[in-house]
Amino acid sequence: MSDRVATLRSRLTSWDSIIVVLTVLVLVVASFSVDNFGTSRNFTFMVLDLLPIILIALPMTMIIVTGEIDLSVASTLGLTSSMMGWLWNQGLSIESIIPLCIVIGAVCGVVNGFLITGLGLPSLAVTIGTLALYRGLAFVVLGDGAVADFPFDYTGWVTGTIGGGAVPNVLILIVALALIFGIVQHATPFGRSLYAIGANAQAAHFSGIRVARTKFWLYVVSGAVAGLVGVLWTLRYASARADNGAGLELAVVAAVLLGGVSIFGGKGSLPGVLAGVVLLTALQNALRLEDVSGQALNIVTGTLLVLSVLLPNVTTAVRGNWQRRKLRQAAATR
Amino acid sequence: MAEANARPEDQPTRRDEQPAEAGDGTAAQPAARSGDRSGARSGDRPARLEVHDVAKSFGAVAAVQGVSFPLYPGEAHALVGENGAGKSTIVKMLAGVHRPDTGTLRVDGVDVDFGGPGDAKAAGIAVIYQEPTLFPDLSVAENIAMGNQPLTKLRQLDRKAMNANAERLFRRLGVPLDPARPARGLSIADQQLVEIAKALSSEARVLIMDEPTAALSAVEVERLFSVVRSLRDEGAAIMFISHRFEEITALCERVTIMRDGKHVATELVADLSVDDMIRRMVGRDLSALFPKQDVDPGEVVLEVEGLSREGVFKDISFSVRSGEIVALAGLVGAGRSEVMQAVFGVDPYDTGTVKLHGRRLKKGSPRAAMAAGMALVPEDRRQQGLVMELSIERNVTLPRARKLARLGLLFGGSERAHAHTWTQKLQTKLGRLSDAVGTLSGGNQQKVVLAKWLATGPKLLIVDEPTRGIDVGTKAEVHRLMSSLAADGLAVVMVSSELPEVLGMADRVVVLREGRVAARLERAEATEESVMYAAMGQEVAA
């Protein structure tokens, strides 16, 4: 019984839960105090804003849990966007372009995965390299121009809502993918192995976990998702450009860390990350509605990120102190 | 294994218990303990260091409760107990790593509160760990001077003074080490001597040694002891932690025995036999330490033929039948662990074959080995056996997760039940299954590793140094377990550096030397001499 209480208490004071509570708080306060925040129109905008971050954050969370990182995702997005425009100009049908683009993203992931797990290079260095490489290729493909004449059936679907109501179409996609990734990460043997790899790769290897293979597939999935996001991004703005999504990788990593995932691997949960993404987007959206400048937005995001790393340490220190004092008092009255 | 919970009728009395004091204000004078034999030798001097009624808990586990003992200058004091008895916690409190929850530490009669290792060092306490922590790329002299380097007038590091200082310390210790050489490449024994020199240079008056001899050869132990004895005679207070009783009798005057985090007794070593000490440590008699039952071996389970790996081992062949325990003996570095890791697939090999039940195993795939019914309890518990940050539950279920899943999904209950069953079977002492496995004592961690692998239902169990750094009580439990598993038809390969363990447990002994099979001995042929002769080659013909 007390066992369950203790588990519950530690679960409630963990960063994952704090961030979920914080997110709900921001949403509630903003919908009451910020004009237009709670409108269905603004809700659609918010969902479209967080769409790229949240989708890329799903595989990114797994990669960071294994103690690695993928910084090339935004460039993969840019490359698929360019390819999408180029293929459209070649006269291919949109129905064949979309799966092709996802495959292109996956191939980018295969290259990352091979360099990291096949040749054993550090993922930070490799993906900084491919970040530049894929973006460069994107410009080779499309140059400075843009392709804009995608069919309205598709661009309209991305920005539209279900039956013209309040629920954006892409929300279905987000919920479905988040559910799949959440179940894989938290309720499958594969998900369990990610945490073991991140915390102690050698012990994982000794337990029969195929460490390299696992990481390789994570990069492939990460590339494929980045490819999908490249398609969605292009359709949303009805514009295929080489510089689409530039800098997005930092927003994704920031959101994942804000969600309580340890940059050293082995720790973190997907609900925390989802809350982290929503918190960041909602806060930026609300501040923008209040006409706060872009620089100020960056300051808020940065501060939040530092706090997310700082606060968990502070809470454990405080909790430890409090426990010690209690024990001392108990001993004094004995 | 039922005896593990049994308690003896004659609870050892706490003869050396501190007299109850009116309050913390009165200075503790151990001399006041009149009529206490253990205090007779040193009772006329005040304690250099005193541990007074300290307690420390980690989560739900009370690691140390109400432990008190004094440490006198000019005395070597042993601290013994099973793994999990709280010795390491005491050391960490004295080193300033942990703060006691309650109780006080006193240095020269004054209460101290260590905020960190620096405070303990400033109070003159130096700790030497089993594995020394030197900077490998700095010179020996620089390592010794670390923290208070001498400077020249131009505020540059004064290497000359550093080297001279190190030279002087080494002469005092009587060891021939070159101060200018880098620390990298020193033997563990020499590294420990450097640590001692470092302690001396910071004028430590209390020297705490946590299992310093675990990785040393007999000659190195003797050299270490002569250094420690001379320090003791110069007035240093020594606290010595070891699982080897012959070392305690050779070095120490007094011994403090702990069990389950509590103080059992502090006595003169001369007054206790080894049996007395063991009985008080485990709270019961240990009749048979190595109880391998005789079993008629069954069919051949494992066949290793001509296994070679360039520069590591060559042409290794042996087989194991069900019900048999085959020991791989040899010196450290003979390639025993490497061979077994190649057999299990965590390491590659170049040529040769590994067959389990007559079927050839895929090379370099632990997963294939596991599927065929092999399990490996590795040598290094912290790096290879367990994921320390993960919970006990997750560790036990790690190799089993795919079997526990229903339709590919894992939902709480099955994992918890599995972990509960197997930790109970091995009588693991734990708080909650959701606690990080790193919070357990060494012996209990080893039980978690065993639980993790026995739960996979292996046909062949490989155990690499199964009782290293484990107390006598758990050790006997592990031996009894291995014996009963073999009796049930399991084939066991045991890598061990402890001769009594090899001789007591093994049906057959394969001795490796420098990566090759040096001898194959039947149980009747295996003696201390025959195994060591094979392991060392011609050198110990005498």
Side-chain angles (χ1 to χ4, degrees), chain B residues 183-520:
Chain B
R184 190 183 294 282
L186 284 177
S187 71
I188 293 212
D190 285 342
Q191 290 182 42
Q192 279 172 346
L193 291 171
V194 174
E195 291 272 10
I196 292 178
K198 194 167 149 188
L200 285 182
S201 82
S202 64
E203 271 150 39
R205 296 169 304 158
V206 178
L207 194 59
I208 297 168
M209 310 176 78
D210 193 354
E211 292 195 49
T213 57
L216 304 194
S217 70
V219 182
E220 292 169 330
V221 169
E222 203 29 65
R223 188 174 57 155
L224 178 73
F225 279 11
S226 73
V227 167
V228 171
R229 281 196 197 98
S230 74
L231 289 178
R232 177 194 66 195
D233 295 342
E234 287 169 28
I238 316 274
M239 194 166 101
F240 179 74
I241 296 166
S242 176
H243 285 309
R244 298 180 185 168
F245 295 103
E246 66 274 16
E247 292 176 359
I248 290 165
T249 5
L251 185 70
C252 300
E253 285 84 49
R254 289 197 307 150
V255 56
T256 289
I257 301 168
M258 290 181 69
R259 182 171 76 226
D260 296 337
K262 296 190 187 102
H263 180 271
V264 175
T266 299
E267 305 246 358
L268 285 173
V269 172
D271 288 355
L272 292 176
S273 69
V274 169
D275 282 349
D276 289 337
M277 277 193 250
I278 294 180
R279 204 175 306 121
R280 292 186 183 194
M281 274 168 60
V282 299
R284 65 175 178 274
D285 283 307
L286 283 176
S287 45
L289 266 175
F290 306 104
K292 164 69 170 126
Q293 297 156 250
D294 280 329
V295 175
D296 287 329
E299 67 200 277
V300 174
V301 176
L302 174 74
E303 283 169 279
V304 177
E305 269 167 47
L307 209 64
S308 298
R309 184 178 172 197
E310 182 71 38
V312 185
F313 50 80
K314 196 161 169 116
D315 201 19
I316 306 286
S317 303
F318 64 93
S319 66
V320 188
R321 293 164 175 276
S322 89
E324 236 184 3
I325 297 182
V326 172
L328 245 57
L331 301 178
V332 174
R336 298 162 303 167
S337 301
E338 289 79 0
V339 168
M340 291 327 292
Q341 286 177 13
V343 167
F344 186 65
V346 290
D347 281 348
Y349 55 87
D350 301 326
T351 55
T353 56
V354 176
K355 284 189 200 157
L356 206 68
H357 286 301
R359 291 181 61 180
R360 200 172 161 174
L361 266 188
K362 194 174 150 196
K363 196 195 314 195
S365 167
R367 190 171 281 212
M370 284 161 64
M374 214 189 270
L376 169 71
V377 173
E379 180 184 17
D380 185 341
R381 207 160 43 225
R382 306 187 65 84
Q383 290 305 318
Q384 304 169 335
L386 296 169
V387 184
M388 299 311 265
E389 292 89 340
L390 288 188
S391 67
I392 298 162
E393 180 184 328
R394 290 286 156 83
N395 270 288
V396 174
T397 54
L398 199 53
R400 207 63 194 148
R402 285 188 313 153
K403 292 274 159 42
L404 289 169
R406 292 236 176 91
L407 300 172
L409 297 182
L410 286 163
F411 285 107
S414 63
E415 287 174 289
R416 178 138 304 184
H418 178 84
H420 182 77
T421 311
W422 283 95
T423 49
Q424 288 301 99
K425 267 189 193 173
L426 289 162
Q427 302 187 341
T428 319
K429 272 184 224 155
L430 49 84
R432 281 179 279 141
L433 285 170
S434 55
D435 291 340
V437 77
T439 61
L440 296 179
S441 70
N444 282 309
Q445 286 177 9
Q446 186 69 349
K447 286 184 180 178
V448 172
V449 186
L450 282 163
K452 165 181 167 181
W453 286 111
L454 291 179
T456 64
K459 305 282 186 297
L460 172 79
L461 178 68
I462 304 165
V463 286
D464 196 345
E465 302 288 359
T467 60
R468 174 178 286 176
I470 284 190
D471 53 90
V472 261
T474 314
K475 199 166 173 172
E477 271 182 68
V478 169
H479 288 150
R480 212 172 296 128
L481 178 72
M482 283 166 57
S483 174
S484 75
L485 289 169
D488 290 343
L490 189 72
V492 180
V493 179
M494 177 180 76
V495 175
S496 175
S497 298
E498 269 192 61
L499 269 181
E501 182 168 270
V502 169
L503 301 178
M505 293 299 297
D507 293 304
R508 286 188 294 127
V509 183
V510 176
V511 186
L512 298 194
R513 182 175 74 237
E514 290 168 5
R516 288 161 184 269
V517 175
R520 290 188 178 80

Side-chain angles (χ1 to χ4, degrees), chain A:
Chain A
M1 186 62 201
S2 65
D3 228 46
R4 218 169 282 167
V5 171
T7 318
L8 194 68
R9 190 188 297 146
S10 71
R11 201 164 279 174
L12 283 181
T13 50
S14 73
W15 179 251
D16 308 24
S17 336
I18 294 174
I19 190 96
V20 170
V21 171
L22 209 61
T23 307
V24 172
L25 214 66
V26 165
L27 288 176
V28 169
V29 169
S31 31
F32 281 108
S33 60
V34 179
D35 287 344
N36 296 327
F37 183 86
T39 62
S40 68
R41 198 176 140 72
N42 188 53
F43 179 68
T44 308
F45 274 130
M46 245 171 62
V47 170
L48 285 171
D49 277 348
L50 61 74
L51 169 76
I53 302 180
I54 214 162
L55 291 188
I56 296 177
L58 299 174
M60 184 72 85
T61 303
M62 292 185 174
I63 288 178
I64 296 184
V65 163
T66 64
E68 304 288 347
I69 199 157
D70 184 356
L71 294 177
S72 71
V73 281
S75 298
T76 305
L77 185 163
L79 179 57
T80 35
S81 184
S82 278
M83 286 301 292
M84 194 172 166
W86 184 77
L87 291 168
W88 181 248
N89 279 347
Q90 303 306 305
L92 263 69
S93 74
I94 191 90
E95 288 80 12
S96 51
I97 288 178
I98 291 176
L100 215 53
C101 282
I102 295 174
V103 170
I104 290 166
V107 170
C108 291
V110 167
V111 173
N112 283 333
F114 172 73
L115 291 172
I116 292 160
T117 65
L119 301 184
L121 303 174
S123 59
L124 186 68
V126 166
T127 58
I128 285 178
T130 51
L131 176 151
L133 175 69
Y134 298 156
R135 186 67 72 186
L137 288 175
F139 278 99
V140 169
V141 170
L142 213 57
D144 285 335
V147 176
D149 54 346
F150 295 104
F152 180 76
D153 283 356
Y154 285 85
T155 55
W157 185 86
V158 171
T159 51
T161 58
I162 298 174
V167 184
N169 291 326
V170 289
L171 193 60
I172 310 166
L173 196 65
I174 293 175
V175 171
L177 283 177
L179 265 177
I180 293 169
F181 275 84
I183 289 170
V184 169
Q185 186 172 341
H186 291 293
T188 64
F190 179 82
R192 296 281 189 269
S193 70
L194 301 180
Y195 290 89
I197 291 171
N200 183 345
Q202 197 186 3
H205 176 54
F206 270 75
S207 302
I209 291 167
R210 293 180 286 205
V211 177
R213 187 178 299 203
T214 305
K215 285 182 180 175
F216 177 82
W217 284 110
L218 288 183
Y219 280 99
V220 176
V221 170
S222 176
V225 170
L228 171 69
V229 174
V231 170
L232 293 170
W233 186 293
T234 309
L235 291 175
R236 180 193 174 183
Y237 296 104
S239 168
R241 294 176 55 92
D243 64 351
N244 272 350
L248 192 71
E249 69 280 342
L250 292 184
V252 173
V253 173
V256 172
L257 298 189
L258 184 63
V261 176
S262 164
I263 190 73
F264 303 112
K267 282 197 197 82
S269 78
L270 201 61
V273 170
L274 297 181
V277 178
V278 174
L279 179 64
L280 270 183
T281 328
L283 212 54
Q284 294 201 342
N285 180 286
L287 292 174
R288 214 176 284 139
L289 285 174
E290 292 283 286
D291 279 334
V292 176
S293 72
Q295 287 90 327
L297 283 180
N298 284 341
I299 292 173
V300 171
T301 316
T303 311
L304 215 54
L305 193 58
V306 172
L307 282 181
S308 75
V309 183
L310 192 67
L311 279 181
N313 292 321
V314 173
T315 46
T316 34
V318 168
R319 213 185 301 160
N321 256 334
W322 177 72
Q323 236 165 24
R324 247 198 312 277
R325 195 176 314 150
K326 218 171 57 172
L327 281 164
R328 272 178 202 277
Q329 275 167 358
T333 55
R334 192 171 58 194

